[in-house]
Amino acid sequence: MCLPWEDMHAQSKNAAQQLWDRMNPCTLCPRECKVYRKRGEIGFCGIGETPVVSSVGPHFGEESVLVGSGGSGTIFFAGCNLGCVFCQNFDISHQRHGRPMTVEQLAQSMLELQSYGCANINFVTPTHVVAAIAAAIELARDNGMSLPTVYNTGGYDSVETLELLEGFVDIYMPDMKYADPKVAEELSAAPDYPAVNFAAVKEMHRQVGDLKAEKGLATCGLLVRHLVLPENLAGSFEIIDFLTEEISQSTTINVMAQYRPCFEAASHPKINRRPTNEEIQSVRQYAIKKGLNVLL
Ligand code: SF4
């Protein structure tokens, strides 16, 4: 864990309550829909006050520093605060398949994942349900959960909400999707994504620093994911420059090559193909040349 839980405990109760307060009206994320989620009102993310979970279980497809022999203990949330036209999980993110889970059930799931031997608890798409997540982490830790927690986010997170998560999250794993507002608007309905995302990554790094690992498993820190898009639509080189110049030259980054057209991508000609090997390698080589810790 990044910080001793005992030191954070008193402060965390207050922070968890403040996160609930930020849902009514909802300003949890940069969309600031201002709906009253406790009254059942629904904003852009499509989820009310109770999280909807699509799956819970050990996952072996994450970065090797998160997996170990027991897998990463993923809790996959339905709904999303981004509107990516190429979403690979649109049945979960947009159609919101899953079942509602209370704070107590989430905490119980964490304890079960720990008992299975998972390396961490990995909250996938957590941004719109952070109030329940924080409360559940607190409850689980009070009952013996001692694994690192992973905040596995699309990266459209507000700094004010992240500040309240300090101490709950050990490993921040944000996407950095775009550097160009026009592309972010067209592909994810979020023209302010670059500005919001850069500020969020700064706050994440302030809290947890560079990625640290023991015996090959991450314990704490920042791990950036960057998906290479065709025709440098993701602004890859600008994002790498930002990381080296404004975050840390020791930032750990996963340059991801698995983009393929999904969901509504066919209606956007520029992204209706996979990136070429040259496009992927040029980003990877640039990150290496700049000195970042590039995952293989
Ligand atoms: S968390 Fe959901 S309801 Fe709240 S501001 Fe973001 S998109 Fe809107």
Side-chain angles (χ1 to χ4, degrees):
M1 236 177 264
C2 270
L3 294 166
W5 180 237
E6 299 71 37
D7 296 353
M8 297 301 302
H9 205 206
Q11 167 184 338
S12 77
K13 285 207 186 306
N14 191 23
Q17 184 54 52
Q18 286 182 59
L19 287 167
W20 283 110
D21 294 344
R22 283 178 73 80
M23 277 204 294
N24 299 289
C26 193
T27 56
L28 266 188
C29 92
R31 298 253 175 225
E32 300 205 351
C33 301
K34 300 204 169 122
V35 294
Y36 284 78
R37 291 172 66 179
K38 71 178 168 194
R39 294 182 197 156
E41 294 174 9
I42 300 290
F44 185 97
C45 60
I47 299 294
E49 198 174 46
T50 304
V52 176
V53 173
S54 77
S55 67
V56 176
H59 185 43
F60 294 86
E62 301 285 56
E63 287 78 351
S64 61
V65 286
L66 298 178
V67 171
S69 59
S72 180
T74 52
I75 301 179
F76 210 129
F77 293 97
C80 185
N81 71 338
L82 284 169
C84 303
V85 297
F86 53 86
C87 183
Q88 295 184 3
N89 301 310
F90 59 90
D91 54 328
I92 300 168
S93 302
H94 298 296
Q95 295 168 352
R96 301 184 275 281
H97 292 164
R99 69 180 172 102
M101 281 181 82
T102 63
V103 166
E104 291 73 20
Q105 289 169 322
L106 280 174
Q108 184 57 35
S109 294
M110 290 183 221
L111 291 164
E112 284 168 11
L113 290 168
Q114 178 169 263
S115 74
Y116 299 156
C118 291
N120 45 58
I121 304 295
N122 184 346
F123 302 102
V124 187
T125 321
T127 304
H128 55 298
V129 287
V130 282
I133 289 173
I137 290 172
E138 183 172 40
L139 184 58
R141 284 180 175 167
D142 284 350
N143 285 282
M145 203 286 288
S146 58
L147 296 178
T149 53
V150 184
Y151 189 80
N152 183 347
T153 171
Y156 193 51
D157 295 88
S158 79
V159 168
E160 293 77 14
T161 296
L162 291 170
E163 284 171 348
L164 292 170
L165 283 175
E166 187 163 9
F168 292 102
V169 175
D170 299 305
I171 298 160
Y172 279 106
M173 187 161 64
D175 288 336
M176 294 191 79
K177 291 179 185 290
Y178 314 107
D180 180 340
K182 285 203 185 89
V183 179
E185 180 171 26
E186 182 183 347
L187 300 185
S188 290
D192 58 347
Y193 182 96
V196 162
N197 178 245
F198 283 23
V201 170
K202 263 190 184 172
E203 171 59 21
M204 293 172 187
H205 187 261
R206 182 196 70 74
Q207 289 182 24
V208 296
D210 295 330
L211 193 69
K212 296 170 199 67
E214 287 171 19
K215 296 181 184 161
L217 283 178
T219 55
C220 175
L222 175 71
L223 196 174
V224 170
R225 278 178 166 175
H226 177 67
L227 181 67
V228 179
L229 294 178
E231 300 190 31
N232 190 32
L233 280 174
S236 304
F237 304 101
E238 216 175 308
I239 286 171
I240 290 166
D241 286 345
F242 166 78
L243 288 172
T244 54
E245 290 161 21
E246 298 197 40
I247 300 296
S248 160
Q249 285 214 316
S250 305
T251 302
T252 299
I253 184 169
N254 183 3
V255 175
M256 301 167 78
Q258 60 261 53
Y259 174 78
R260 59 192 163 88
C262 288
F263 193 37
E264 298 169 345
S267 50
H268 298 260
K270 284 184 182 167
I271 56 164
N272 197 20
R273 67 166 173 88
R274 291 175 182 246
T276 63
N277 195 41
E278 289 72 30
E279 286 172 325
I280 294 158
Q281 288 310 321
S282 67
V283 174
R284 205 166 261 161
Q285 290 308 318
Y286 188 72
I288 291 169
K289 193 176 96 188
K290 287 289 215 166
L292 296 183
N293 178 26
V294 182
L295 295 181
L296 296 174

